[in-house]
Amino acid sequence: MSKAKTDTTPHTSDNALMDIEDEKNSSTDTSLSQATTDLSHNQEPAATTDSPAPLNEFEDNTNLPKMNLFQIFIFFVLEFGLMAWGGPVAQIARIKERLVIKRRWITVARFNRVYAVYQMLPGPEAAEICMFFGCLVGGRLGGIVAGLGFIVPGFLAMVLLSYLYTIAGLENIYFNASFRALQPVVAAMVLKAVFKIGEHAFVSNKTKKFNHALLLLAILGALQSALRINYFITLGVFGIVYNFWARGWRWAAGGVMLLNYAGYAVYVVFKGVPSPTALALGIATVPDMPHLLALGLVAGSLSFGGAYTSIPFVQAEAVILGGWLANQTFLDGIALGNIIPAPLVIFATFVGFQGGNTYGGLGYAFSGSVLMTLGMFFPCFLFTIAGHSVLERICKNETMAFFFDGITGSVVGIIAVTALDILKASVIHLPKPGAFLDSSALITLAARNTISAIIFVLSFSALNSVKNQYLSIFLVAVAAIAGQFLFV
């Protein structure tokens, strides 16, 4: 992962802090094209005579507007909440273009340093950066209000979609057909996220170069998932291991890793191979309100490296251990999160809605969606209250930086295994237990599984070859329409 370097030279940008390659060909729109050009090269517009260079570009706030809390909320709703299409890259690009390049609230160099800090911390970076700007304009309350302005539009949209999804039901043949086609697209998105997160996760925080030790942690993280070692054990152990390794204490790192696998061997000898439920902690075995809030808090606190990193933790608790959410329904929630203007972790709203509905009907469903969303975003608000200067000191602490790097490296491996599980569930649909299918029905089932596999291959190819911020929305829309012709 990247870490900011302190540089007090006016109007100097640190290119190592922000490398967003996907922005180079994002749109034909003139203003957006100009913005993405600036983003790709980290260039700041030349200062005019009306805007002299500040003495310290990391502290200068002279261009900040005066806004009350209501104005801050409306501003962030209109500028970013309603326009949060295309995932985190597009969201952060828009924030930088609107507030840094165009309005010059802060300098590019300062923005890059801020962005580097939030890349190291759990939670959606776009929401955290909005809160940072809100703090600059209106203090801590301004930060909270700005965060709400960014989150609320997507939250309301997801609540509405969750409600429509629930009342339509998967027994509707047309409804089911669209989501059957969407599931392979989601699998392609999650697998693509593994490579995208790896681009940053395998970069050493100290040398800014590719680190083979972090890649090894990702591979071992995948192995730990395959062995069904609890996710939280993996994250804690690998954070400690990399801390020792990065300091040159190779013997200590190797010793901790050996103890990790020795403990697993002892467990297998006395209790057998862990079941898939061993991956979870049992935070939400029952989807009542306190458990849904707790699930959101844990998932939000562990979302290092991007929104997709929270998927394995929610899936383990709600689908594998809790059993109150079907895997296909879980995938549908991720698909819905890709077609609305919101950070991708908004799928937690859908999970909370479905969990509440399972527990006590629609009244609980709405409450569950609110509580799980609050839990998922609580780390962002906590960081806002703490203040950016505190976060920067934490991230500059060598021990914390190495620990976060180890966690992020291992998370890549965990997501990789989860992506393969999601791929299997989205492509291979088997008959219900005890159901008898004649030869014609078996042929139809095999043909539909083949179609799902083709949709996955085409979607994954498009995600790797086409650079456009709206590609995910396009793929979801096309798949939903195609499903009516392919699976009805």
Side-chain angles (χ1 to χ4, degrees):
M1 295 179 59
S2 298
K3 184 179 180 183
K5 295 180 180 178
T6 303
D7 182 0
T8 57
T9 303
H11 296 278
T12 302
S13 63
D14 185 352
N15 291 331
L17 298 177
M18 193 174 186
D19 182 18
I20 304 178
E21 296 179 354
D22 290 343
E23 297 167 1
K24 293 181 179 178
N25 300 304
S26 63
S27 176
T28 57
D29 181 79
T30 302
S31 60
L32 187 54
S33 298
Q34 180 61 42
T36 53
T37 300
D38 291 338
L39 283 167
S40 300
H41 297 87
N42 285 333
Q43 293 176 347
E44 185 177 8
T48 65
T49 55
D50 296 329
S51 301
L55 295 177
N56 185 347
E57 62 181 330
F58 294 118
E59 301 297 335
D60 180 67
N61 293 324
T62 55
N63 289 331
L64 294 176
K66 293 183 178 179
M67 304 169 70
N68 59 39
L69 294 180
F70 180 74
Q71 289 172 326
I72 293 173
F73 177 76
I74 296 300
F75 177 81
F76 278 88
V77 166
L78 297 178
E79 284 285 347
F80 306 114
L82 293 175
M83 304 302 295
W85 305 95
V89 172
Q91 292 161 5
I92 294 169
R94 180 176 178 83
I95 293 170
K96 185 173 184 181
E97 188 269 332
R98 294 285 179 171
L99 300 185
V100 181
I101 304 299
K102 183 178 178 181
R103 290 183 172 86
R104 298 189 180 197
W105 283 17
I106 61 175
T107 62
V108 172
R110 187 179 182 187
F111 177 86
N112 287 345
R113 194 168 79 172
V114 168
Y115 179 62
V117 169
Y118 288 117
Q119 275 188 307
M120 295 180 65
L121 298 170
E125 295 100 332
E128 291 165 341
I129 293 174
C130 281
M131 294 178 193
F132 166 78
F133 279 108
C135 283
L136 291 182
V137 176
R140 287 184 170 87
L141 284 178
I144 293 173
V145 168
L148 290 174
F150 180 74
I151 295 166
V152 165
F155 166 75
L156 294 177
M158 181 56 90
V159 169
L160 176 60
L161 290 176
S162 300
Y163 174 72
L164 295 176
Y165 182 96
T166 302
I167 62 174
L170 286 177
E171 298 305 318
N172 184 300
I173 185 173
Y174 300 103
F175 189 81
N176 186 50
S178 287
F179 280 95
R180 174 70 189 271
L182 284 174
Q183 289 165 8
V185 177
V186 171
M189 290 176 180
V190 177
L191 190 59
K192 169 63 177 176
V194 174
F195 296 95
K196 188 65 181 174
I197 296 170
E199 291 177 3
H200 303 285
F202 301 147
V203 176
S204 170
N205 183 49
K206 188 174 183 179
T207 65
K208 305 297 186 294
K209 296 179 180 179
F210 183 85
N211 189 303
H212 292 86
L214 292 173
L215 174 60
L216 179 61
L217 287 182
I219 296 171
L220 292 176
L223 175 62
Q224 300 252 127
S225 294
L227 294 175
R228 298 169 183 170
I229 298 176
N230 185 275
Y231 289 144
F232 301 91
I233 294 176
T234 298
L235 296 179
V237 169
F238 284 22
I240 295 171
V241 165
Y242 187 71
N243 218 316
F244 288 150
W245 183 274
R247 294 175 182 276
W249 303 346
R250 307 300 164 83
W251 58 272
V256 172
M257 192 63 77
L258 286 175
L259 285 174
N260 170 61
Y261 289 112
Y264 176 78
V266 171
Y267 182 94
V268 170
V269 168
F270 288 97
K271 293 200 172 184
V273 177
S275 69
T277 59
L279 293 169
L281 280 181
I283 299 168
T285 53
V286 178
D288 57 13
M289 300 304 102
H291 286 95
L292 289 176
L293 175 62
L295 178 56
L297 283 169
V298 172
S301 300
L302 296 174
S303 56
F304 291 90
Y308 282 104
T309 59
S310 59
I311 290 176
F313 308 111
V314 176
Q315 185 188 44
E317 300 292 340
V319 178
I320 298 175
L321 180 58
W324 45 265
L325 189 67
N327 204 32
Q328 277 72 27
T329 304
F330 179 70
L331 297 181
D332 294 344
I334 299 173
L336 292 175
N338 278 277
I339 63 173
I340 58 177
L344 297 178
V345 293
I346 205 68
F347 80 88
T349 302
F350 177 88
V351 173
F353 192 98
Q354 299 304 318
N357 185 60
T358 299
Y359 181 76
L362 283 177
Y364 281 91
F366 287 103
S367 299
S369 66
V370 171
L371 288 175
M372 189 157 175
T373 304
L374 283 175
M376 182 66 77
F377 286 98
F378 180 77
C380 302
F381 290 99
L382 182 63
F383 297 153
T384 300
I385 293 172
H388 179 76
S389 60
V390 174
L391 299 179
E392 197 161 29
R393 285 197 296 272
I394 292 174
C395 292
K396 284 183 177 181
N397 180 279
E398 194 173 65
T399 298
M400 294 300 296
F402 289 150
F403 188 76
F404 287 154
D405 281 355
I407 288 177
T408 306
S410 63
V411 161
V412 176
I414 292 173
I415 300 175
V417 173
T418 302
L420 295 178
D421 289 340
I422 289 175
L423 173 59
K424 178 182 177 182
S426 65
V427 171
I428 303 175
H429 288 236
L430 299 175
K432 295 180 179 180
F436 174 78
L437 299 180
D438 58 23
S439 58
S440 176
L442 287 173
I443 291 173
T444 300
L445 181 62
R448 290 187 170 184
N449 287 344
T450 302
I451 292 172
S452 295
I454 293 172
I455 293 174
F456 167 79
V457 171
L458 293 176
S459 299
F460 190 69
S461 299
L463 288 168
N464 282 280
S465 57
V466 179
K467 306 297 181 184
N468 189 287
Q469 61 180 340
Y470 300 114
L471 178 62
S472 296
I473 302 172
F474 175 77
L475 290 176
V476 169
V478 169
I481 296 171
Q484 299 300 308
F485 299 94
L486 297 173
F487 296 112
V488 173

